[in-house]
């Protein structure tokens, strides 16, 4: 896990070297090393900050080159099957001088080209410079676990692991993109390829892009996080599915434990992280350190985590966070975000507490809900679509009658769902997962957001369609694809990366693994009973979880924002919303309408909170 950045110019040498500013901006991502390479013509610079996990000695330093110096790479992430790839390349005559996965990835690209990325098991973002072809290629893993931002002009290409590195180095200007703002209002995060900065693109997951000598670029998708959904079910028996799932979970956990430093585990006491611990114990891993974070005013979660850790003999540690620090920490939290999000605060505190113990890498159960059907959406959305199809003939007359009897936010969701194309799961998904419905955004919009409304709408629709156009053979597969592409890939994983790397901590997600997904998803829903309470996960483990941890209500690590917003966080929230009005993003009356709706119980706390985060995030004072 590291940070990378660089610049390629096509019209002569780089006038002002950006490497010092880029390296300084990414220092928190890689405190173990710093490397810079300039091309002989001084028209290319590659920057790397290193958090040493595999081959932590000097041999694994970056930027790394081939022996002839033609090819160079800066790489962020981990290749979990690097030993297997190395053996296959050695069988073809390749020889290696390090034990690092970086060298393996570079040689694989040189030998087989970017199409070989479909064979890589891991999380990655990288930039590969070919001095012979004078070509730059950047790529990102299929789930988008690792971030990569690109700013391309006719004369240059700049890239970095974080937007703020591009901003602080002066490679891009701080001009806000209205399409990114509207995307945030729609989803509570900014989905790729959009960002909040004009001219900066978030490279979509599973994609590589190459610029040649003539500055023209080629883009290809080498894999999608939802490829497995389009495959036909295997018609396997329930026993076969259970056996296949157990083996795949164990295999993924073992693969994600590959490291040359100790690896810990975020343990919430829920099914997902507990299953990861069970699989690690079954694989014979001993002495695994587990960590649970709780706030002083909440104690229910840590009891289950303690129970699970004891059951598997883990060395367990409880880390208490003082909730009174949240207000003081918010500026730092926002400062580490590359994109506005209504989430991420939880991950900041978990990561800070674990990093303080000296651990550099941890496993997380993130992704279990998307993979094994843990969200209510897996039940609600297929049922809603079936109901809409049955009511097709009477929907025009029925929809306004039902909407009139619902609270305002729910009535807007209902109207959006009923007015959309019949039979589309994505409309039901937006009605459940969306932050504000399109009609609400129009009423909230201020002058800055209304300027250029039509082209902004087109760009937002293009970005959304690339994510929401999910093809699956079952309704459950459609929901899994939507939750994975929009919520997991566009929000949870990005927030987790930003907040963990703020503390130089690598987080690995073994339940977000394409080999595991390929084993489970084609038959997801074939046995509906196995989707209740994620039975397909916890009932197939070789070492069962404690019954109390399985049968308890789903809770998660949730901060008491609703209570805090009525007290010490109220100034932060109201100031943030007022800033959006001052900057002309929101209409004059929008903050009071949203705030009062929450105070009256007609809207969820995430609505005023999300606007406050956006206001502080976009403020010129930040």
């Amino acid at each position: 896990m590291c940070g990378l950045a660089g610049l390629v110019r096509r019209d002569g040498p780089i006038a002002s070297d950006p490497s010092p500013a880029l390296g300084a901006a990414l220092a928190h991502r890689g405190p173990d090393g710093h490397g810079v390479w300039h091309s002989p013509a001084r028209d290319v610079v590659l920057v790397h900050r290193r958090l040493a996990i595999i081959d932590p000695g000097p041999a694994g330093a970056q930027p790394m080159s081939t022996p002839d110096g033609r090819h160079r790479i800066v790489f962020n992430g981990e290749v979990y099957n690097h030993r297997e790839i190395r053996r296959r390349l050695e069988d073809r005559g390749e020889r290696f001088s390090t034990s690092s996965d970086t060298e393996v990835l570079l040689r694989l690209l040189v030998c087989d080209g970017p199409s070989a990325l479909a064979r890589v098991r891991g999380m990655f973002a990288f930039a590969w410079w070919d001095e012979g072809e004078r070509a730059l290629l950047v790529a990102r893993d299929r789930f988008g676990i690792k971030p990569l931002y690109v700013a391309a002009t006719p004369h240059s290409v700049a890239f970095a692991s974080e937007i703020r590195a591009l901003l602080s180095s002066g490679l891009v200007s701080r001009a806000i993109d209205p399409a990114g703002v509207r995307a945030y209002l729609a989803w509570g995060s900014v989905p790729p390829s959009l960002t909040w900065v004009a001219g900066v693109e978030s490279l979509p997951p599973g994609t590589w892009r190459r610029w040649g000598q003539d500055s023209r670029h080629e883009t290809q998708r080498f894999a999608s996080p939802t490829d497995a959904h389009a495959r036909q079910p295997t018609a396997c028996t329930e026993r076969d599915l259970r056996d296949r799932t157990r083996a795949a979970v164990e295999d993924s956990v073992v693969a994600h434990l590959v490291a040359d430093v100790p690896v810990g585990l975020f343990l919430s006491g829920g099914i997902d992280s507990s299953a990861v611990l069970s699989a690690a114990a079954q694989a014979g891993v001993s002495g695994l350190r587990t960590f649970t974070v709780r706030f002083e005013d909440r104690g229910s979660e840590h009891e289950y985590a303690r129970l699970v850790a004891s059951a598997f003999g883990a060395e367990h540690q409880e880390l208490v966070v003082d909730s009174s620090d949240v207000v003081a920490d918010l500026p730092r939290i926002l400062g580490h975000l590359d994109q506005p999000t209504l989430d991420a605060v939880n991950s900041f505190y978990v990561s800070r507490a674990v990093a303080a113990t000296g651990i550099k890498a941890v496993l997380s159960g993130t992704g279990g809900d998307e993979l094994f059907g843990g969200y209510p959406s897996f039940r609600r959305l297929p049922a809603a679509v079936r109901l809409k199809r049955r009511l097709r003939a009477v929907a025009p007359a029925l929809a306004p009658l039902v909407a009139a009897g619902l609270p305002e936010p729910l009535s807007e969701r209902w109207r959006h769902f009923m007015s959309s194309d019949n039979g589309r799961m994505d409309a039901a998904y937006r009605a459940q997962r969306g932050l504000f419905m399109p009609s609400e955004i129009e009423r909230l919009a201020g002058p800055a957001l209304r300027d250029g409304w039509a082209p902004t709408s087109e760009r937002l629709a293009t970005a959304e369609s690339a994510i929401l156009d999910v093809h699956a053979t079952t309704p459950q597969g459609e929901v899994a694809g939507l939750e994975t592409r929009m919520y997991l890939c566009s929000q949870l994983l990005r927030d987790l990366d930003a907040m963990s790397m703020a503390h130089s901590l690598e987080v690995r997600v073994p339940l977000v693994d394409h080999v595991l997904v390929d084993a489970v998803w084609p038959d997801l829903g074939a046995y509906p009973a196995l989707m209740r309470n994620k039975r397909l996960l916890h009932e197939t483990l070789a070492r069962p979880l404690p019954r109390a941890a399985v049968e308890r209500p789903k809770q998660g690590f949730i901060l008491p924002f609703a209570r805090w917003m009525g007290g010490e966080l109220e100034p932060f929230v109201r100031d943030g919303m007022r800033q959006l009005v001052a900057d002309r993003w929101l209409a004059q009356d929008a903050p009071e309408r949203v705030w009062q709706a929450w105070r009256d119980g007609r809207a969820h706390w995430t609505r005023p909170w999300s606007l406050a985060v956006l206001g502080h995030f976009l403020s010129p004072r930040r």
Side-chain angles (χ1 to χ4, degrees):
M1 187 86 70
C2 307
L4 62 91
L7 174 66
V8 176
R9 288 208 65 89
R10 295 299 186 188
D11 57 354
I14 298 170
S16 178
D17 183 9
S19 61
L22 290 170
L26 296 172
H28 57 282
R29 299 187 69 93
D32 297 334
H34 179 207
V36 178
W37 176 80
H38 294 89
S39 65
R42 307 295 289 186
D43 56 355
V44 180
V45 60
L46 302 179
V47 178
H48 190 261
R49 296 293 313 212
R50 187 183 185 201
L51 180 66
I53 303 295
I54 293 178
D55 193 6
Q62 300 182 47
M64 184 176 287
S65 71
T66 51
D68 61 3
R70 172 176 169 175
H71 302 277
R72 294 184 186 269
I73 192 170
V74 279
F75 162 55
N76 169 28
E78 308 287 355
V79 177
Y80 299 122
N81 62 338
H82 70 97
R83 295 190 180 102
E84 173 190 339
I85 295 173
R86 177 190 297 264
R87 286 193 296 270
R88 292 183 178 180
L89 290 174
E90 287 175 335
D91 289 343
R92 293 162 54 182
E94 290 294 310
R95 295 294 176 261
F96 295 85
S97 58
T98 76
S99 59
S100 73
D101 55 344
T102 305
E103 185 182 16
V104 172
L105 178 61
L106 178 57
R107 295 292 186 89
L108 178 67
L109 291 166
V110 172
C111 291
D112 295 342
S115 62
L117 292 173
R119 306 201 300 268
V120 175
R121 184 180 195 177
M123 52 183 184
F124 58 83
F126 67 82
W128 165 32
W129 174 251
D130 181 344
E131 181 72 13
E133 293 288 338
R134 303 290 297 167
L136 173 72
L137 185 142
V138 298
R140 194 173 174 212
D141 69 75
R142 72 189 71 207
F143 291 99
I145 303 172
K146 306 315 302 168
L148 190 61
Y149 299 97
V150 179
T153 72
H155 303 293
S156 67
V157 180
F159 55 89
S161 296
E162 297 184 2
I163 293 176
R164 69 177 185 161
L166 297 174
L167 290 170
S168 64
S169 64
L171 293 177
V172 299
S173 61
R174 194 183 186 279
I176 298 173
D177 187 346
V181 176
R182 283 183 61 181
Y184 175 80
L185 293 175
W187 297 103
S189 63
V190 184
S193 58
L194 298 174
T195 72
W196 68 279
V197 179
V200 178
E201 177 186 0
S202 174
L203 189 70
T207 299
W208 60 260
R209 183 169 299 164
R210 183 180 185 273
W211 291 265
Q213 293 190 55
D214 57 3
S215 297
R216 296 181 182 179
H217 72 265
E218 175 188 6
T219 302
Q220 287 194 24
R221 171 164 279 181
F222 63 85
S224 166
T226 54
D227 284 340
H229 286 308
R231 298 176 188 149
Q232 291 298 319
T234 65
C236 63
T237 66
E238 181 177 334
R239 180 174 180 177
D240 288 340
L241 180 57
R242 286 171 175 267
D243 291 343
R244 193 170 71 205
T245 299
R246 178 178 63 251
V249 169
E250 291 178 5
D251 175 69
S252 182
V253 170
V254 170
H256 283 71
L257 285 167
V258 172
D260 294 321
V261 299
V263 178
L265 169 66
F266 286 156
L267 183 63
S268 69
I271 289 175
D272 300 329
S273 59
S274 299
V276 171
L277 177 57
S278 170
Q282 174 64 19
V285 177
S286 60
L288 190 66
R289 296 177 65 183
T290 58
F291 301 91
T292 296
V293 174
R294 62 184 176 91
F295 278 76
E296 290 181 332
D297 57 351
R298 299 179 65 251
S300 59
E301 285 275 288
H302 76 282
E303 296 175 358
Y304 295 105
R306 187 187 305 160
L307 176 67
V308 173
S310 176
F312 296 106
E315 180 184 340
H316 188 58
Q317 188 172 354
E318 293 178 5
L319 307 166
V320 180
V321 177
D322 185 355
S323 60
S324 65
D325 294 337
V326 173
V327 175
D329 289 335
L330 281 173
R332 185 183 176 199
I333 294 171
L334 293 179
H336 278 286
L337 290 175
D338 264 317
Q339 302 262 49
T341 175
L342 60 80
D343 206 346
V345 178
N346 300 2
S347 299
F348 177 88
Y349 285 106
V350 174
S351 300
R352 185 175 73 176
V354 173
T357 69
I359 287 286
K360 296 171 66 172
V362 292
L363 303 183
S364 166
T366 299
D369 286 319
E370 290 80 5
L371 178 56
F372 293 100
Y375 293 130
S377 56
F378 283 87
R379 302 184 303 276
R380 294 174 182 170
L381 299 192
V385 170
R386 289 194 299 268
L387 176 63
K388 184 176 179 180
R389 289 170 179 168
R390 288 197 295 267
L391 298 176
R392 184 176 303 172
V394 297
L398 182 62
L401 294 176
V402 174
L406 294 172
E408 181 181 347
L410 292 181
S411 68
E412 293 293 345
R413 294 175 189 275
W414 169 260
R415 287 191 184 96
H416 174 80
F417 173 56
M418 294 303 292
S419 64
S420 59
D421 293 339
N422 287 315
R424 291 291 301 270
M425 190 74 75
D426 60 342
Y429 182 74
R430 185 192 294 270
Q432 172 168 296
R433 184 65 82 178
L435 179 58
F436 292 98
M437 294 299 101
S439 58
E440 293 178 298
I441 296 174
E442 284 197 60
R443 292 197 295 271
L444 290 172
L449 203 54
R450 291 190 175 279
D451 289 346
W453 187 266
T456 298
S457 299
E458 184 177 346
R459 292 179 57 223
L460 175 56
T462 299
E464 289 180 339
S465 65
I467 295 174
L468 298 177
D469 186 19
V470 174
H471 300 280
T473 57
T474 65
Q476 292 83 5
E478 278 192 84
V479 177
L482 291 166
E483 292 285 18
T484 296
R485 285 184 166 190
M486 182 58 79
Y487 187 48
L488 178 67
C489 297
S490 300
Q491 182 170 337
L492 293 183
L493 292 175
R494 186 178 63 215
D495 293 350
L496 187 60
D497 173 83
M499 295 295 92
S500 61
M501 291 310 298
H503 306 288
S504 305
L505 179 72
E506 173 175 296
V507 178
R508 299 177 171 190
V509 281
L511 300 183
V512 185
D513 174 78
H514 77 273
V515 179
L516 172 59
V517 164
D518 289 347
V520 174
W521 267 355
D523 296 297
L524 187 71
Y527 299 95
L530 293 181
M531 295 187 66
R532 289 199 292 269
N533 199 29
K534 290 180 280 194
R535 289 178 55 204
L536 181 58
L537 175 59
H538 72 79
E539 287 189 356
T540 59
L541 296 169
R543 299 187 61 172
L545 305 182
R547 181 177 295 273
V550 170
E551 295 180 349
R552 72 183 183 92
K554 180 179 176 63
Q555 183 173 335
F557 183 56
I558 302 172
L559 308 186
F561 280 111
R563 177 167 58 79
W564 292 346
M565 281 169 49
E568 55 198 309
L569 277 183
E570 180 175 347
F572 173 88
V573 174
R574 298 189 72 117
D575 287 348
M577 291 195 292
R578 280 193 291 265
Q579 185 66 45
L580 289 176
V581 173
D583 295 337
R584 305 173 70 244
W585 295 110
L586 288 189
Q588 287 284 342
D589 64 340
E592 191 59 33
R593 283 193 284 116
V594 172
W595 178 262
Q596 201 56 50
W598 169 67
R599 296 295 287 179
D600 294 344
R602 294 180 287 111
H604 198 259
W605 65 265
T606 52
R607 289 193 159 200
W609 172 255
S610 63
L611 294 181
V613 169
L614 181 64
H616 287 288
F617 192 91
L618 299 181
S619 171
R621 299 173 298 180
R622 187 172 76 98

